[in-house]
Tab-separated table of all heavy atoms in Angstrom:
chain	number	residue	atom	x	y	z
D	1	ARG	N	-149.854	-102.230	5.839
D	1	ARG	CA	-148.998	-102.894	6.714
D	1	ARG	C	-149.677	-102.952	8.140
D	1	ARG	O	-150.483	-102.060	8.477
D	1	ARG	CB	-147.687	-102.133	6.924
D	1	ARG	CG	-147.918	-100.770	7.563
D	1	ARG	CD	-146.694	-99.793	7.352
D	1	ARG	NE	-146.828	-98.629	8.096
D	1	ARG	CZ	-147.661	-97.537	7.784
D	1	ARG	NH1	-148.278	-97.671	6.689
D	1	ARG	NH2	-147.583	-96.456	8.481
D	2	LEU	N	-149.393	-103.928	8.951
D	2	LEU	CA	-149.973	-104.040	10.243
D	2	LEU	C	-149.217	-103.134	11.190
D	2	LEU	O	-148.074	-102.906	11.034
D	2	LEU	CB	-149.881	-105.514	10.854
D	2	LEU	CG	-150.676	-106.566	9.875
D	2	LEU	CD1	-150.486	-107.932	10.612
D	2	LEU	CD2	-152.073	-106.105	9.693
D	3	LEU	N	-149.918	-102.749	12.270
D	3	LEU	CA	-149.240	-102.019	13.296
D	3	LEU	C	-148.400	-102.990	14.081
D	3	LEU	O	-148.620	-104.220	14.144
D	3	LEU	CB	-150.361	-101.402	14.263
D	3	LEU	CG	-151.119	-100.195	13.659
D	3	LEU	CD1	-152.353	-99.967	14.501
D	3	LEU	CD2	-150.247	-98.995	13.612
D	4	PRO	N	-147.379	-102.532	14.837
D	4	PRO	CA	-146.535	-103.335	15.599
D	4	PRO	C	-147.197	-104.148	16.675
D	4	PRO	O	-148.289	-103.678	17.219
D	4	PRO	CB	-145.556	-102.325	16.274
D	4	PRO	CG	-145.601	-101.145	15.473
D	4	PRO	CD	-146.975	-101.080	14.807
D	5	GLN	N	-146.752	-105.380	16.873
D	5	GLN	CA	-147.361	-106.224	17.991
D	5	GLN	C	-147.134	-105.615	19.335
D	5	GLN	O	-146.004	-105.215	19.528
D	5	GLN	CB	-146.860	-107.678	17.818
D	5	GLN	CG	-147.316	-108.560	18.860
D	5	GLN	CD	-148.771	-108.976	18.553
D	5	GLN	OE1	-149.121	-109.396	17.414
D	5	GLN	NE2	-149.639	-108.664	19.579
D	6	ILE	N	-148.180	-105.637	20.126
D	6	ILE	CA	-148.028	-105.147	21.540
D	6	ILE	C	-148.771	-106.196	22.365
D	6	ILE	O	-149.446	-107.004	21.909
D	6	ILE	CB	-148.614	-103.729	21.758
D	6	ILE	CG1	-150.072	-103.791	21.437
D	6	ILE	CG2	-147.884	-102.699	20.948
D	6	ILE	CD1	-150.816	-102.445	21.765
D	7	ASP	N	-148.414	-106.093	23.679
D	7	ASP	CA	-149.008	-107.031	24.666
D	7	ASP	C	-150.306	-106.558	25.061
D	7	ASP	O	-150.706	-105.339	25.287
D	7	ASP	CB	-148.000	-107.027	25.827
D	7	ASP	CG	-148.511	-108.011	26.942
D	7	ASP	OD1	-148.477	-109.263	26.723
D	7	ASP	OD2	-148.997	-107.492	27.995
D	8	LEU	N	-151.284	-107.558	25.207
D	8	LEU	CA	-152.657	-107.229	25.497
D	8	LEU	C	-152.796	-106.518	26.860
D	8	LEU	O	-153.545	-105.573	26.999
D	8	LEU	CB	-153.512	-108.472	25.600
D	8	LEU	CG	-155.004	-108.305	25.787
D	8	LEU	CD1	-155.636	-107.371	24.792
D	8	LEU	CD2	-155.766	-109.610	25.787
D	9	GLU	N	-152.049	-106.948	27.871
D	9	GLU	CA	-152.139	-106.297	29.166
D	9	GLU	C	-151.533	-104.898	29.108
D	9	GLU	O	-151.965	-103.976	29.857
D	9	GLU	CB	-151.400	-107.140	30.191
D	9	GLU	CG	-152.002	-108.538	30.469
D	9	GLU	CD	-153.562	-108.343	30.822
D	9	GLU	OE1	-153.839	-107.455	31.725
D	9	GLU	OE2	-154.344	-108.996	30.210
D	10	ASP	N	-150.512	-104.646	28.365
D	10	ASP	CA	-150.012	-103.262	28.215
D	10	ASP	C	-151.107	-102.441	27.531
D	10	ASP	O	-151.239	-101.240	27.884
D	10	ASP	CB	-148.731	-103.249	27.283
D	10	ASP	CG	-147.564	-103.823	28.079
D	10	ASP	OD1	-147.543	-103.949	29.317
D	10	ASP	OD2	-146.591	-104.246	27.378
D	11	PHE	N	-151.756	-102.961	26.603
D	11	PHE	CA	-152.788	-102.261	25.907
D	11	PHE	C	-153.962	-101.909	26.913
D	11	PHE	O	-154.374	-100.679	26.903
D	11	PHE	CB	-153.361	-103.160	24.770
D	11	PHE	CG	-154.618	-102.565	24.175
D	11	PHE	CD1	-154.577	-101.671	23.100
D	11	PHE	CD2	-155.857	-103.149	24.551
D	11	PHE	CE1	-155.672	-101.190	22.539
D	11	PHE	CE2	-157.039	-102.588	23.926
D	11	PHE	CZ	-156.956	-101.693	22.917
D	12	ARG	N	-154.303	-102.815	27.678
D	12	ARG	CA	-155.390	-102.571	28.591
D	12	ARG	C	-154.948	-101.501	29.698
D	12	ARG	O	-155.851	-100.708	30.154
D	12	ARG	CB	-155.864	-103.780	29.310
D	12	ARG	CG	-156.636	-104.894	28.449
D	12	ARG	CD	-157.087	-106.019	29.151
D	12	ARG	NE	-157.494	-107.099	28.486
D	12	ARG	CZ	-158.729	-107.193	27.845
D	12	ARG	NH1	-159.599	-106.075	27.962
D	12	ARG	NH2	-159.182	-108.237	27.147
D	13	ALA	N	-153.712	-101.439	30.001
D	13	ALA	CA	-153.271	-100.444	31.012
D	13	ALA	C	-153.398	-99.023	30.540
D	13	ALA	O	-153.416	-98.102	31.344
D	13	ALA	CB	-151.772	-100.846	31.355
D	14	ALA	N	-153.448	-98.849	29.328
D	14	ALA	CA	-153.524	-97.513	28.696
D	14	ALA	C	-154.939	-96.984	28.612
D	14	ALA	O	-155.223	-95.895	28.265
D	14	ALA	CB	-152.908	-97.497	27.271
D	15	VAL	N	-155.946	-97.848	28.836
D	15	VAL	CA	-157.382	-97.514	28.682
D	15	VAL	C	-158.026	-97.198	29.929
D	15	VAL	O	-157.909	-97.894	30.936
D	15	VAL	CB	-158.050	-98.664	27.909
D	15	VAL	CG1	-159.554	-98.173	27.537
D	15	VAL	CG2	-157.302	-99.127	26.680
D	16	HIS	N	-158.709	-96.109	29.912
D	16	HIS	CA	-159.443	-95.585	31.213
D	16	HIS	C	-160.911	-95.231	30.698
D	16	HIS	O	-161.092	-94.647	29.751
D	16	HIS	CB	-158.773	-94.448	31.912
D	16	HIS	CG	-157.537	-94.859	32.530
D	16	HIS	ND1	-156.299	-95.025	31.761
D	16	HIS	CD2	-157.213	-95.055	33.827
D	16	HIS	CE1	-155.397	-95.392	32.669
D	16	HIS	NE2	-155.878	-95.371	33.869
D	17	PHE	N	-161.790	-95.578	31.688
D	17	PHE	CA	-163.174	-95.247	31.381
D	17	PHE	C	-163.755	-94.536	32.565
D	17	PHE	O	-163.367	-94.633	33.747
D	17	PHE	CB	-164.039	-96.606	31.249
D	17	PHE	CG	-163.605	-97.317	29.975
D	17	PHE	CD1	-162.771	-98.365	30.042
D	17	PHE	CD2	-164.213	-97.013	28.690
D	17	PHE	CE1	-162.386	-99.156	28.965
D	17	PHE	CE2	-163.767	-97.737	27.620
D	17	PHE	CZ	-162.948	-98.746	27.667
D	18	LEU	N	-164.730	-93.684	32.321
D	18	LEU	CA	-165.439	-92.953	33.297
D	18	LEU	C	-166.442	-93.902	34.133
D	18	LEU	O	-167.249	-94.534	33.509
D	18	LEU	CB	-166.199	-91.705	32.693
D	18	LEU	CG	-166.593	-90.602	33.591
D	18	LEU	CD1	-165.353	-89.893	34.225
D	18	LEU	CD2	-167.459	-89.612	32.811
D	19	LYS	N	-166.383	-93.824	35.447
D	19	LYS	CA	-167.285	-94.658	36.221
D	19	LYS	C	-168.683	-94.043	36.291
D	19	LYS	O	-169.623	-94.755	36.451
D	19	LYS	CB	-166.775	-94.740	37.685
D	19	LYS	CG	-165.532	-95.699	37.877
D	19	LYS	CD	-165.175	-95.679	39.292
D	19	LYS	CE	-163.905	-96.504	39.594
D	19	LYS	NZ	-163.518	-96.526	41.009
D	20	ARG	N	-168.661	-92.682	36.286
D	20	ARG	CA	-169.891	-92.027	36.505
D	20	ARG	C	-170.412	-91.473	35.162
D	20	ARG	O	-169.768	-91.533	34.096
D	20	ARG	CB	-169.676	-90.825	37.472
D	20	ARG	CG	-169.197	-91.158	38.803
D	20	ARG	CD	-168.590	-89.919	39.417
D	20	ARG	NE	-169.683	-88.891	39.662
D	20	ARG	CZ	-169.377	-87.638	40.056
D	20	ARG	NH1	-168.092	-87.349	40.457
D	20	ARG	NH2	-170.419	-86.846	40.318
D	21	LYS	N	-171.609	-91.008	35.100
D	21	LYS	CA	-172.284	-90.442	33.931
D	21	LYS	C	-171.429	-89.267	33.468
D	21	LYS	O	-171.313	-88.972	32.252
D	21	LYS	CB	-173.723	-90.006	34.209
D	21	LYS	CG	-174.444	-89.593	32.915
D	21	LYS	CD	-175.924	-89.413	33.149
D	21	LYS	CE	-176.679	-88.918	31.875
D	21	LYS	NZ	-178.164	-88.627	32.228
D	22	SER	N	-171.013	-88.502	34.360
D	22	SER	CA	-170.126	-87.244	34.003
D	22	SER	C	-169.497	-86.851	35.215
D	22	SER	O	-169.671	-87.130	36.417
D	22	SER	CB	-170.995	-86.080	33.509
D	22	SER	OG	-171.927	-85.663	34.615
D	23	THR	N	-168.273	-86.088	34.944
D	23	THR	CA	-167.481	-85.504	36.073
D	23	THR	C	-166.764	-84.357	35.436
D	23	THR	O	-166.648	-84.209	34.179
D	23	THR	CB	-166.496	-86.610	36.521
D	23	THR	OG1	-165.988	-85.974	37.836
D	23	THR	CG2	-165.392	-86.789	35.606
D	24	LEU	N	-166.280	-83.462	36.268
D	24	LEU	CA	-165.520	-82.314	35.842
D	24	LEU	C	-164.048	-82.495	35.630
D	24	LEU	O	-163.407	-83.053	36.509
D	24	LEU	CB	-165.710	-81.114	36.912
D	24	LEU	CG	-167.121	-80.555	36.897
D	24	LEU	CD1	-167.234	-79.458	37.973
D	24	LEU	CD2	-167.499	-79.935	35.505
D	25	LEU	N	-163.458	-82.050	34.524
D	25	LEU	CA	-162.126	-82.012	34.370
D	25	LEU	C	-161.572	-80.603	34.867
D	25	LEU	O	-162.203	-79.583	34.409
D	25	LEU	CB	-161.716	-82.223	32.766
D	25	LEU	CG	-160.329	-82.416	32.492
D	25	LEU	CD1	-159.891	-83.717	32.877
D	25	LEU	CD2	-160.194	-82.286	30.918
D	26	ARG	N	-160.688	-80.564	35.686
D	26	ARG	CA	-160.176	-79.303	36.278
D	26	ARG	C	-158.773	-78.958	35.877
D	26	ARG	O	-158.012	-79.765	35.467
D	26	ARG	CB	-160.264	-79.495	37.888
D	26	ARG	CG	-161.727	-79.687	38.416
D	26	ARG	CD	-161.843	-79.622	39.824
D	26	ARG	NE	-163.249	-79.780	40.389
D	26	ARG	CZ	-164.022	-78.679	40.487
D	26	ARG	NH1	-163.622	-77.506	40.151
D	26	ARG	NH2	-165.286	-78.930	40.865
D	27	SER	N	-158.559	-77.644	36.036
D	27	SER	CA	-157.271	-77.085	35.619
D	27	SER	C	-155.992	-77.501	36.416
D	27	SER	O	-154.946	-77.443	35.908
D	27	SER	CB	-157.398	-75.572	35.547
D	27	SER	OG	-157.629	-75.061	36.891
D	28	ALA	N	-156.346	-77.951	37.699
D	28	ALA	CA	-155.251	-78.448	38.570
D	28	ALA	C	-155.744	-79.517	39.429
D	28	ALA	O	-156.915	-79.787	39.557
D	28	ALA	CB	-154.743	-77.243	39.416
D	29	PRO	N	-154.757	-80.269	39.975
D	29	PRO	CA	-155.193	-81.453	40.895
D	29	PRO	C	-155.799	-80.920	42.240
D	29	PRO	O	-155.179	-81.194	43.303
D	29	PRO	CB	-153.989	-82.198	41.036
D	29	PRO	CG	-152.825	-81.231	40.880
D	29	PRO	CD	-153.357	-80.178	39.811
D	30	ASP	N	-156.824	-80.230	42.161
D	30	ASP	CA	-157.472	-79.576	43.397
D	30	ASP	C	-158.895	-79.441	43.166
D	30	ASP	O	-159.328	-78.875	42.117
D	30	ASP	CB	-156.738	-78.254	43.522
D	30	ASP	CG	-157.294	-77.522	44.849
D	30	ASP	OD1	-158.388	-77.654	45.296
D	30	ASP	OD2	-156.407	-76.683	45.347
D	31	PRO	N	-159.733	-79.811	44.077
D	31	PRO	CA	-161.155	-79.742	43.854
D	31	PRO	C	-161.786	-78.287	43.750
D	31	PRO	O	-162.890	-78.132	43.296
D	31	PRO	CB	-161.805	-80.486	45.048
D	31	PRO	CG	-160.696	-80.411	46.077
D	31	PRO	CD	-159.466	-80.539	45.340
D	32	THR	N	-160.932	-77.371	44.122
D	32	THR	CA	-161.386	-76.007	44.046
D	32	THR	C	-160.859	-75.290	42.790
D	32	THR	O	-161.113	-74.172	42.539
D	32	THR	CB	-160.896	-75.157	45.275
D	32	THR	OG1	-159.401	-75.252	45.313
D	32	THR	CG2	-161.472	-75.806	46.576
D	33	SER	N	-160.062	-75.981	41.946
D	33	SER	CA	-159.537	-75.347	40.775
D	33	SER	C	-160.619	-75.187	39.725
D	33	SER	O	-161.718	-75.736	39.794
D	33	SER	CB	-158.407	-76.217	40.282
D	33	SER	OG	-158.855	-77.539	39.819
D	34	LYS	N	-160.377	-74.368	38.726
D	34	LYS	CA	-161.248	-74.063	37.746
D	34	LYS	C	-161.716	-75.185	36.875
D	34	LYS	O	-160.858	-75.943	36.383
D	34	LYS	CB	-160.722	-72.965	36.803
D	34	LYS	CG	-161.556	-72.421	35.675
D	34	LYS	CD	-160.889	-71.435	34.840
D	34	LYS	CE	-161.713	-71.090	33.650
D	34	LYS	NZ	-161.071	-70.067	32.755
D	35	PRO	N	-163.041	-75.407	36.696
D	35	PRO	CA	-163.385	-76.479	35.790
D	35	PRO	C	-163.177	-76.008	34.313
D	35	PRO	O	-163.382	-74.996	34.037
D	35	PRO	CB	-164.893	-76.614	36.026
D	35	PRO	CG	-165.156	-75.876	37.319
D	35	PRO	CD	-164.117	-74.862	37.406
D	36	VAL	N	-162.559	-76.948	33.534
D	36	VAL	CA	-162.256	-76.645	32.215
D	36	VAL	C	-163.130	-77.456	31.168
D	36	VAL	O	-163.214	-77.086	29.945
D	36	VAL	CB	-160.744	-76.882	31.874
D	36	VAL	CG1	-159.951	-75.832	32.685
D	36	VAL	CG2	-160.372	-78.333	32.208
D	37	PHE	N	-163.663	-78.549	31.558
D	37	PHE	CA	-164.431	-79.371	30.642
D	37	PHE	C	-165.201	-80.406	31.486
D	37	PHE	O	-164.845	-80.777	32.602
D	37	PHE	CB	-163.516	-80.104	29.750
D	37	PHE	CG	-164.067	-80.801	28.560
D	37	PHE	CD1	-164.421	-80.031	27.444
D	37	PHE	CD2	-164.388	-82.164	28.564
D	37	PHE	CE1	-164.982	-80.639	26.306
D	37	PHE	CE2	-164.852	-82.800	27.542
D	37	PHE	CZ	-165.155	-82.021	26.442
D	38	GLU	N	-166.437	-80.791	30.978
D	38	GLU	CA	-167.185	-81.867	31.545
D	38	GLU	C	-167.009	-83.054	30.797
D	38	GLU	O	-167.407	-83.126	29.579
D	38	GLU	CB	-168.735	-81.535	31.633
D	38	GLU	CG	-169.559	-82.491	32.427
D	38	GLU	CD	-170.968	-82.067	32.408
D	38	GLU	OE1	-171.682	-82.038	31.335
D	38	GLU	OE2	-171.427	-81.989	33.581
D	39	LEU	N	-166.350	-84.051	31.388
D	39	LEU	CA	-166.254	-85.385	30.770
D	39	LEU	C	-167.532	-86.208	30.880
D	39	LEU	O	-168.297	-86.161	31.937
D	39	LEU	CB	-165.193	-86.173	31.529
D	39	LEU	CG	-163.716	-85.708	31.386
D	39	LEU	CD1	-162.871	-86.595	32.262
D	39	LEU	CD2	-163.251	-85.806	29.940
D	40	ASN	N	-167.829	-86.906	29.913
D	40	ASN	CA	-169.020	-87.828	29.965
D	40	ASN	C	-168.567	-89.153	29.357
D	40	ASN	O	-167.385	-89.484	29.170
D	40	ASN	CB	-170.160	-87.188	29.189
D	40	ASN	CG	-169.895	-86.950	27.710
D	40	ASN	OD1	-169.167	-87.715	27.046
D	40	ASN	ND2	-170.373	-85.711	27.299
């Protein structure tokens, strides 16, 4: 069976990509908070 039809623009709105080669994922919305993971 096919997945339900969705709108292409709605689909694109859900997708995010990293601009840089890597960046830190932090535990809180604060640059001094604990790093929990390195996104690449």
Side-chain angles (χ1 to χ4, degrees):
R1 71 193 187 282
L2 298 183
L3 289 164
Q5 180 66 58
I6 60 175
D7 180 72
L8 181 61
E9 292 308 310
D10 288 339
F11 171 83
R12 292 188 189 279
V15 186
H16 290 75
F17 296 96
L18 198 63
K19 290 181 182 178
R20 304 166 55 186
K21 186 176 181 179
S22 65
T23 192
L24 290 176
L25 191 69
R26 296 187 176 274
S27 59
D30 184 327
T32 64
S33 64
K34 180 182 177 181
V36 295
F37 193 79
E38 184 178 65
L39 293 176
N40 58 46

